[in-house]
Amino acid sequence: MKNLRFLAPVALAATLVLATTACGSPEAAAPSSPTQTFPADSTMSKIQQRGKIIVGVKFDQPMFGVKNPVTGQMEGLDIELAKLLAKDLTGSEDNIQYIEAITANREAFIQQNKVDAVVASYAVTDERKKAVAFEGPYLESGVSTMVRKDDTSITKADDLNGKPVCTATGARAAQLLPTIAPKATLTLFGTYSECAQALKQKRVDAVVTNESLLFGLMDQNKDEFKIVGDYLASEEYAIGSAKDDTAWHDYLDTFLKKIEDNGDWKKAYDKTIGAVRPGDVAAPKITL
Amino acid sequence: MPILSGYAADFSQGVLVTLELSVLGWVGALLLGTILTALRVSPIRTLRAVSAAYVTVFRNIPIPVQMILFVFGLPVLGIQYSLFASAAIVLVLYTAPFVSETLRAGLNTVASGELEALRALGFAPGPSMVHIILPQAFGTVVKPLGNVLITMIKNTSVAALVGVADLTFTSNKASVDQAQPFIIFGGAAVAYLVIGLVVSRLVASLDRKAAFSR
């Protein structure tokens, strides 16, 4: 038996896991108290019957959708919007199931109906418009350049030529850069925190992506970086949904208009991106 | 397939990088693995311990973890290689223990009396190992080593994690740009399959030769 002693903590852990899942299983979503009624076969009504909305979000994108490693809570602008959406449909902002939607599988999740909607820092592009429907935009922003604080050699887009530049796999910046600074060498990592690390270690000289993400990185790495120059391109972030579901599309657009008008959008923005980005940002016009 | 043709250049570049990583990784892993095996059966206890410790550590840390540690951890200590070199080195470090353990199994099939006989005939332990014992050991483990090689080729995809533009990486990038993951990753799967098939064939024919000489 002596040799098996190391198994004790394992067995204990397994028991605990079983116990917690057993307690967790009868957990029912908070009773759905819909404020609006919809046609029976519509997505809205399906969500109300199910009692919760299934949303594809990022789990690793500070400012938009990130799972706080300490509290385990989801945070970010996308999460705030998803909560407002859940509240609008089911009466409570807790009636959400988050599914991790990484950049590469967002279209697939929508097309296979694994999610009702994707709210995952989803930038609108023509290619993506062919695959999914967009609602919004709910944020107008731009692609910016971040460099080390003591670096004065990069002040505008042109200066990126001949320099190693980092962004994350799947970022629109990766598509933009060859046209903006053709001689820049692109390094792509899975996450922006790796880009920030590479920038610190001078493996790259700039990180290029949506400015909200850059402000988030600057907030995490105080006094290390700065943002230089103008927007390399403007970017619109929108909700993604199934292409042929027009009723759902119209509902989502109406929902976004509503929260922009009643101030909920502003609250969500101020709580997340607004907390690290200086200056005021107006809610964008819903055009999609 | 307009989607794939638009990325044909990127895609073939990706295949090329995957092949480069495979060749470099395999040559390095064979060398390091053989050295580890030789140390493992050496008469000197310290050398045996070093080899065993290396195998234990590098075989048990998942390759993505090693990759990230190598690329982002080592620069903290002032050691920094290019991303491609880092990926190749990590492949070697990770694969060598598997080569070594496989080879050691082959070594056990060579009668221990042979080494004693060689010693009695006045051969030094080093040369008799290199020229007589190891070649026999290799001959018996061609197929298992082939498995290690095929696993390693698939492990090259971990380089995509640290931004090396291999087949997985270019596929990932293309699928994100084009919003068409199925077609593009389908293409990547076929490419890996072809590489794997070619390697299996080579290994099989090599094994037939080795079997003939056995």
Side-chain angles (χ1 to χ4, degrees):
Chain A
M1 272 312 280
K2 198 175 177 192
N3 290 336
L4 289 177
R5 193 169 290 163
F6 75 96
L7 280 176
V10 179
L12 182 64
T15 321
L16 280 175
V17 169
L18 284 176
T20 43
T21 44
C23 295
S25 54
E27 164 223 26
S32 185
S33 48
T35 44
Q36 313 161 65
T37 46
F38 298 99
D41 58 345
S42 66
T43 305
M44 294 77 89
S45 147
K46 268 181 226 152
I47 293 166
Q48 289 179 337
Q49 279 160 24
R50 195 197 293 138
K52 64 178 180 189
I53 181 166
I54 303 172
V55 192
V57 296
K58 291 274 179 80
F59 278 32
D60 60 353
Q61 197 81 291
M63 300 298 120
F64 289 96
V66 66
K67 189 166 194 169
N68 185 317
V70 181
T71 62
Q73 296 292 307
M74 298 295 295
E75 293 168 357
L77 179 61
D78 293 341
I79 307 301
E80 295 302 320
L81 293 182
K83 283 182 185 167
L84 289 169
L85 184 57
K87 191 169 181 193
D88 194 60
L89 270 175
T90 68
S92 163
E93 63 170 37
D94 297 328
N95 294 334
I96 313 184
Q97 181 184 346
Y98 296 111
I99 291 191
E100 180 164 16
I102 61 165
T103 298
N105 65 20
R106 290 181 297 201
E107 289 85 17
F109 275 11
I110 292 172
Q111 285 161 355
Q112 297 161 359
N113 287 320
K114 283 207 169 85
V115 295
D116 295 317
V118 160
V119 194
S121 57
Y122 208 175
V124 181
T125 67
D126 288 340
E127 288 84 6
R128 288 171 184 169
K129 271 185 187 165
K130 286 178 205 150
V132 301
F134 281 114
E135 293 82 28
Y138 61 82
L139 185 70
E140 270 170 354
S141 185
V143 177
S144 285
T145 309
M146 182 175 83
V147 299
R148 285 181 297 273
K149 198 148 201 177
D150 55 4
D151 188 345
T152 52
S153 67
I154 301 171
T155 54
K156 53 185 186 302
D158 203 35
D159 298 335
L160 293 174
N161 280 309
K163 298 247 161 69
V165 177
C166 189
T167 193
T169 324
R172 251 187 81 235
Q175 285 166 282
L176 289 170
L177 206 67
T179 53
I180 294 167
K183 293 207 183 87
T185 46
L186 198 55
T187 299
L188 294 173
F189 288 125
T191 66
Y192 289 105
S193 32
E194 287 168 345
C195 277
Q197 192 72 18
L199 182 59
K200 255 190 243 176
Q201 294 167 353
K202 304 194 176 173
R203 199 184 274 283
V204 298
D205 288 333
V207 179
V208 172
T209 189
N210 183 281
E211 62 155 20
S212 313
L213 300 171
L214 295 180
F215 279 114
L217 289 174
M218 282 169 58
D219 189 53
Q220 287 172 349
N221 303 273
K222 298 247 188 283
D223 291 326
E224 298 253 15
F225 309 132
K226 63 181 176 188
I227 289 178
V228 292
D230 300 324
Y231 283 163
L232 303 178
S234 58
E235 230 173 14
E236 288 181 331
Y237 283 1
I239 299 177
S241 66
K243 200 164 172 50
D244 43 8
D245 196 344
T246 47
W248 178 226
H249 170 85
D250 294 344
Y251 164 81
L252 287 170
D253 264 350
T254 318
F255 156 77
L256 283 173
K257 274 197 196 92
K258 187 164 77 186
I259 61 165
E260 288 191 357
D261 290 343
N262 69 13
D264 282 346
W265 183 90
K266 179 96 177 79
K267 270 183 230 159
Y269 178 85
D270 287 345
K271 192 174 166 186
T272 53
I273 298 169
V276 292
R277 186 195 187 282
D280 251 351
V281 161
K285 261 205 170 62
I286 308 299
T287 54
L288 293 166
Chain B
M1 293 259 170
I3 298 155
L4 284 187
S5 66
Y7 275 84
D10 273 5
F11 204 76
S12 43
Q13 185 61 33
V15 173
L16 200 66
V17 171
T18 292
L19 290 176
E20 281 169 9
L21 280 175
S22 301
V23 171
L24 287 174
W26 189 238
V27 171
L30 271 185
L31 277 175
L32 185 56
T34 310
I35 294 170
L36 285 171
T37 312
L39 294 183
R40 192 65 188 264
V41 296
S42 128
I44 301 160
R45 180 193 263 191
T46 325
L47 294 182
R48 288 202 302 270
V50 166
S51 171
Y54 179 93
V55 169
T56 307
V57 170
F58 282 86
R59 190 172 58 169
N60 290 310
I61 300 174
I63 185 162
V65 176
Q66 289 192 27
M67 200 70 94
I68 301 278
L69 276 179
F70 198 92
V71 170
F72 294 105
L74 282 190
V76 177
L77 307 175
I79 307 163
Q80 188 161 320
Y81 295 95
S82 78
L83 294 175
F84 179 84
S86 306
I89 293 171
V90 170
L91 267 177
V92 170
L93 295 181
Y94 177 80
T95 311
F98 293 95
V99 171
S100 164
E101 289 297 275
T102 309
L103 200 52
R104 198 154 69 97
L107 214 51
N108 290 338
T109 65
V110 182
S112 59
E114 252 185 71
L115 197 58
E116 286 160 19
L118 284 165
R119 195 170 292 170
L121 287 170
F123 282 92
S128 54
M129 195 73 197
V130 171
H131 295 297
I132 296 161
I133 308 291
L134 273 179
Q136 295 183 71
F138 268 111
T140 56
V141 291
V142 171
K143 270 194 173 160
L145 275 181
N147 285 337
V148 176
L149 169 60
I150 289 169
T151 308
M152 193 210 70
I153 292 172
K154 289 180 288 177
N155 279 339
T156 58
S157 60
V158 177
L161 258 187
V162 292
V164 176
D166 75 333
L167 180 52
T168 299
F169 181 91
T170 43
S171 309
N172 198 14
K173 186 167 179 297
S175 82
V176 169
D177 292 352
Q178 296 298 311
Q180 293 283 1
F182 302 122
I183 298 173
I184 290 166
F185 275 104
V190 171
Y192 276 115
L193 198 60
V194 169
I195 297 174
L197 273 175
V198 170
V199 170
S200 321
R201 279 301 172 89
L202 286 178
V203 169
S205 77
L206 201 60
D207 186 54
R208 275 195 295 279
K209 278 187 192 144
F212 187 70
S213 67
R214 276 203 285 272

